[in-house]
Amino acid sequence: LQEHLKNPQKQAMYAVIHGGVDRELRKLSVEYLSSLPFDGFAVGGSLGKDRKEMAELLQYVMPLLPEDRPNHVLGIADTESIESTVAFGCDTFDSAYPTRVARHGTLFTTDGIIHIKLSRFKEDYNRIDPKLETIPYSRSYLHHLLRAKEPLFLTLASLHNMIYMNKMMANIRGKILRDEI
């Protein structure tokens, strides 16, 4: 931290809040780390055994963090978790989840996830998500690429999920600005 403060070069250094699911350890971690001049805070380590436990933990931890600095959640980027925890004050998220599941054929849509490998998509010439513009290719085309083990599938599926995530986060930002969250 001291070396970073000597020459930050437009980079931010975050403190990582640890303590597992133990609320007292999390509180001690927050108290100590928030007394130091970090640029932001990241909640890391074990966040619980399921989404419910994670939400309960974040609901407890987030109000303890300083409001004048950004707060990040490490390793969480599935749509359900983001939507349920942003109201607690989680500003940013990171994870390989959107691209990892894309490479295995799971694509995000406004109507939920689809598994593009299923045979029902073989002749489905609709866009991946008819309600949201992402990549200009049909479900049928991506189904074909995945079945044929074409490397292009990996790129297009990942790109689709990343565009979906960016648009989802823009929608969440809009809700925050309109005081809906």
Side-chain angles (χ1 to χ4, degrees):
L1 178 60
Q2 296 308 316
E3 286 301 311
H4 166 72
L5 292 172
K6 289 177 188 175
N7 188 13
Q9 296 183 13
K10 298 182 182 178
Q11 293 187 27
M13 181 171 280
Y14 282 47
V16 179
I17 307 299
H18 282 284
V21 294
D22 186 310
R23 289 181 178 212
E24 190 57 33
L25 289 176
R26 290 281 181 174
K27 184 179 177 186
L28 290 170
S29 183
V30 168
E31 287 172 354
Y32 174 71
L33 293 171
S34 64
S35 73
L36 300 172
F38 282 101
D39 301 305
F41 298 91
V43 180
S46 174
L47 299 175
K49 64 183 180 291
D50 55 31
R51 283 190 184 108
K52 182 179 183 291
E53 198 169 289
M54 177 192 64
E56 290 170 357
L57 181 69
L58 290 173
Q59 192 171 16
Y60 171 76
V61 171
M62 298 311 290
L64 302 175
L65 295 170
E67 291 184 18
D68 64 333
R69 289 176 262 175
N71 297 309
H72 181 80
V73 181
L74 291 165
I76 302 297
D78 64 281
T79 57
E80 186 178 329
S81 295
I82 289 173
E83 290 172 348
S84 69
T85 59
V86 76
F88 304 144
C90 304
D91 299 310
T92 57
F93 303 83
D94 77 278
S95 174
Y97 178 76
T99 54
R100 184 179 64 243
V101 298
R103 292 188 306 270
H104 293 281
T106 300
L107 304 177
F108 303 151
T109 75
T110 52
D111 292 324
I113 62 169
I114 62 171
H115 300 286
I116 202 70
K117 191 173 189 175
L118 297 176
S119 61
R120 72 173 183 240
F121 297 112
K122 183 177 183 177
E123 295 184 23
D124 185 340
Y125 301 104
N126 293 306
R127 290 192 331 228
I128 296 166
D129 187 338
K131 298 176 187 171
L132 186 71
E133 191 170 328
T134 60
I135 59 175
Y137 302 103
S138 69
R139 293 174 173 193
S140 175
Y141 182 58
L142 264 69
H143 171 84
H144 159 73
L145 292 175
L146 177 59
R147 289 290 189 157
K149 296 182 174 41
E150 288 285 347
L152 179 59
F153 171 79
L154 305 172
T155 300
L156 293 178
S158 294
L159 182 60
H160 164 79
N161 277 2
M162 293 309 300
I163 293 170
Y164 176 90
M165 293 298 293
N166 282 326
K167 290 183 178 188
M168 183 188 90
M169 293 308 294
N171 184 41
I172 289 172
R173 279 191 299 276
K175 289 179 180 179
I176 291 168
L177 292 172
R178 292 187 303 272
D179 288 327
E180 295 173 9
I181 294 180

